[in-house]
Every structure is written in structure tokens, then in C-alpha cells.
């Protein structure tokens, strides 16, 4: 029975900079002497670690991997520890922990300000190093977001009420560290009236060129209608185009 062996100390996940040295620990009790064997998994490849037959597994962090330890006794009973993640951060120059780092959370990725249209998804991301690996909790306007407990905050369909100031707390047994606070703006994209789109395009996109705005008014409240404003605007626009102007023509 696997119950003949009991793991008394599970290994714990860590989040560390590349090159960092540490030890994964596993402890178990059984009716006979016990044997240990560590395994690692990178992507979908799970393999035995040659020579890793002690309770402690020394590691020099190189890449993010998963680890587990198999414990067996002389009666062929066996049990596996929890799978733990060793997350390795390759580029953490600004967040590199001090030489006397004891594993307290260190923020290595802060979220960035977002502007999102109503109904579109929102994603905020942060990351922290820590031994053990930190847990995460997001806040909006100082209020705890009960469902957002991962490095990535994800809202599938945003509402205007999702606007606000967001930040995340990374914590472990050694302390806590907060990300920068960032503003998130959720709103509808308001389009101008269709007849103004051409004008806006020319003014804002082609602002470095020469632009002519021609307005032909034919209907006046206190004046007789003009003879030929449409023809005049047409003729004048052709002349200005020959002179290199971008012409916007509006009537009435």
C-alpha cells in the first residue's frame, strides 16, 4: 500500500533569478528504510535525474522546470511528492535581489496602463521572485478582487465599472511586495459624424500638407438662394488641387 509511506515535508515551489543556488527538500516516514529518487519535467518531457537519490536536491537555476520526488521502501511501496515549479527569471537586472536576499518577494515585472473598449478583454500582468514562490492578490481602487489571485489578471468582457487603479500584492512567508499602481480606462469608442470623418482625417493625418476647406452654402434663412454655389465649389476645388492642396468640400 502507498499508505505505508507518508511524506512529512513536501518540496515547495520557488521563483528565482537565473544562476541562483538552492535546495529542494523532501522528507518521508515508512516502516522500513526509504529510498529517494528525483524527477524533473521540462515542457512535456519527464525524466529521472541521474544520481539524485538524496532527500535534498541541490539546484542551480537554469530554466523553468517541474520537479517531483519518488519515495519507496523495501516492500516495493512507493509514493510521489507534490509536483513543484522552479520558475527561473532570465532578465531581472533591475529586480535582482541583494546579496543577502532571504527569499522575500521581489517584483520583476510591473503591470502597464491599459485603455480598453467596452466588451473587449483586459489583461494585466506582473511577476515576482521569492522563496517560496509568492502568491498573488490583485486590487482595484484599494478593493480586493476575490477571483484574481494569479500573476495574470484576466477579464474576458470588460465593463465601464472595471475602470480604476489596479495593483497586485506578491507575498510569501518572508513578507510582501506591491507592484506599481496603474490606471485602466474602459470606455466606448465614440465616432464623429460621418460627414466629418474626411475632414478629421485630413487635419490630423495630413497635417503637414496644405489643406483647403471649401463650404458652399445654398440655403440661407434671411437671404435668397445663391445661383451656383455647388458649381463654384467644384471649380475652385479643382484649381486648388492643381496647386497642391488637399481639398475638403462641404455643402450647406
Amino acid at each position: 500500500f502507498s499508505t505505508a509511506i507518508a511524506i512529512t515535508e513536501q518540496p515547495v515551489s520557488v521563483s528565482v533569478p537565473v544562476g541562483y543556488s538552492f535546495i529542494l527538500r523532501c522528507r518521508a516516514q515508512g516502516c522500513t528504510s526509504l529510498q529517494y529518487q528525483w524527477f524533473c519535467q521540462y515542457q512535456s518531457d519527464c525524466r529521472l535525474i541521474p544520481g539524485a537519490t538524496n532527500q535534498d536536491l541541490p539546484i542551480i537555476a537554469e530554466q523553468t522546470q517541474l520537479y517531483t520526488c519518488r519515495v519507496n521502501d523495501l516492500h516495493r511501496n512507493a509514493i510521489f511528492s507534490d509536483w513543484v515549479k522552479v520558475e527561473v527569471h532570465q532578465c531581472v537586472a533591475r529586480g535582482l535581489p541583494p546579496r543577502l536576499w532571504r527569499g522575500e518577494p521581489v517584483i520583476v515585472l510591473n503591470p502597464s496602463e491599459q485603455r480598453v473598449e467596452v466588451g473587449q478583454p483586459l489583461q494585466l500582468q506582473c511577476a515576482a521572485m521569492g522563496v517560496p514562490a509568492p502568491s498573488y492578490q490583485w486590487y482595484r481602487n484599494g478593493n480586493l478582487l476575490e477571483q484574481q489571485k494569479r500573476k495574470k489578471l484576466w477579464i474576458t468582457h470588460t465593463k465601464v465599472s472595471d475602470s480604476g487603479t489596479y495593483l497586485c500584492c506578491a507575498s510569501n512567508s518572508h513578507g510582501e511586495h506591491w507592484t506599481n499602481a496603474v490606471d485602466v480606462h474602459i470606455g466606448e469608442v465614440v465616432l464623429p459624424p460621418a460627414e466629418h470623418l474626411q475632414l478629421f482625417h485630413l487635419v490630423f493625418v495630413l497635417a503637414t500638407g496644405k489643406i483647403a476647406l471649401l463650404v458652399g452654402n445654398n440655403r440661407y434663412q434671411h437671404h435668397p438662394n445663391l445661383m451656383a454655389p455647388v458649381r463654384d465649389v467644384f471649380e475652385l476645388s479643382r484649381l486648388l488641387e492643381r496647386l497642391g492642396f488637399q481639398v475638403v468640400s462641404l455643402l450647406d
Side-chain angles (χ1 to χ4, degrees), residues 158-178:
T158 54
K159 307 181 295 293
V160 173
S161 58
D162 292 320
S163 296
T165 301
Y166 287 75
L167 76 168
C168 186
C169 178
S171 61
N172 65 12
S173 54
H174 298 291
E176 63 183 28
H177 204 158
W178 296 76

Side-chain angles (χ1 to χ4, degrees), residues 10-239:
Q10 295 278 4
V12 297
S13 297
V14 300
S15 182
V16 296
V18 64
Y20 186 78
S21 299
F22 62 99
I23 292 175
L24 288 180
R25 294 166 49 90
C26 181
R27 298 290 186 272
Q29 291 179 343
C31 298
T32 69
S33 60
L34 300 176
Q35 296 174 328
Y36 293 79
Q37 176 63 61
W38 289 88
F39 295 79
C40 70
Q41 178 175 327
Y42 176 66
Q43 295 179 343
S44 60
D45 179 31
C46 182
R47 60 182 179 84
L48 177 150
I49 304 174
T53 56
N54 295 322
Q55 295 175 322
D56 294 342
L57 176 66
I59 293 178
I60 299 176
E62 295 179 357
Q63 61 186 6
T64 298
Q65 294 189 120
L66 300 175
Y67 292 84
T68 186
C69 184
R70 184 190 67 202
V71 185
N72 62 274
D73 62 15
L74 300 182
H75 300 304
R76 296 186 180 178
N77 295 312
I79 189 172
F80 281 85
S81 74
D82 295 339
W83 281 96
V84 294
K85 184 177 185 178
V86 174
E87 184 178 37
V88 180
H89 297 272
Q90 300 290 337
C91 301
V92 291
R94 293 184 177 179
L96 193 65
R99 191 170 300 174
L100 298 178
W101 185 51
R102 300 183 183 278
E104 65 275 10
V106 175
I107 301 295
V108 294
L109 176 65
N110 279 287
S112 56
E113 182 174 332
Q114 302 283 333
R115 289 183 176 272
V116 180
E117 186 179 351
V118 170
Q120 295 301 306
L122 167 66
Q123 177 178 292
L124 295 174
Q125 189 170 355
C126 71
M129 297 187 299
V131 180
S135 57
Y136 296 87
Q137 178 60 65
W138 287 89
Y139 294 79
R140 182 184 66 239
N141 298 333
N143 298 315
L144 183 146
L145 298 174
E146 191 64 40
Q147 306 301 319
Q148 304 292 351
K149 296 179 180 293
R150 298 185 177 183
K151 286 187 293 185
K152 290 183 180 181
L153 175 145
W154 179 260
I155 299 175
T156 307
H157 301 289
T158 54
K159 307 181 295 293
V160 173
S161 58
D162 292 320
S163 296
T165 301
Y166 287 75
L167 76 168
C168 186
C169 178
S171 61
N172 65 12
S173 54
H174 298 291
E176 63 183 28
H177 204 158
W178 296 76
T179 67
N180 295 340
V182 295
D183 291 328
V184 172
H185 307 274
I186 312 294
E188 296 186 17
V189 175
V190 180
L191 295 176
E195 63 268 21
H196 295 171
L197 287 176
Q198 181 190 15
L199 176 59
F200 286 171
H201 172 75
L202 291 174
V203 169
F204 293 110
V205 178
L206 304 174
T208 56
K210 296 185 292 183
I211 300 173
L213 173 62
L214 300 180
V215 180
N217 282 334
N218 189 41
R219 297 171 183 168
Y220 289 90
Q221 186 176 0
H222 302 293
H223 192 282
N225 290 347
L226 300 180
M227 294 296 294
V230 175
R231 187 189 65 194
D232 293 343
V233 166
F234 176 72
E235 294 292 341
L236 188 54
S237 66
R238 287 204 305 175
L239 175 61

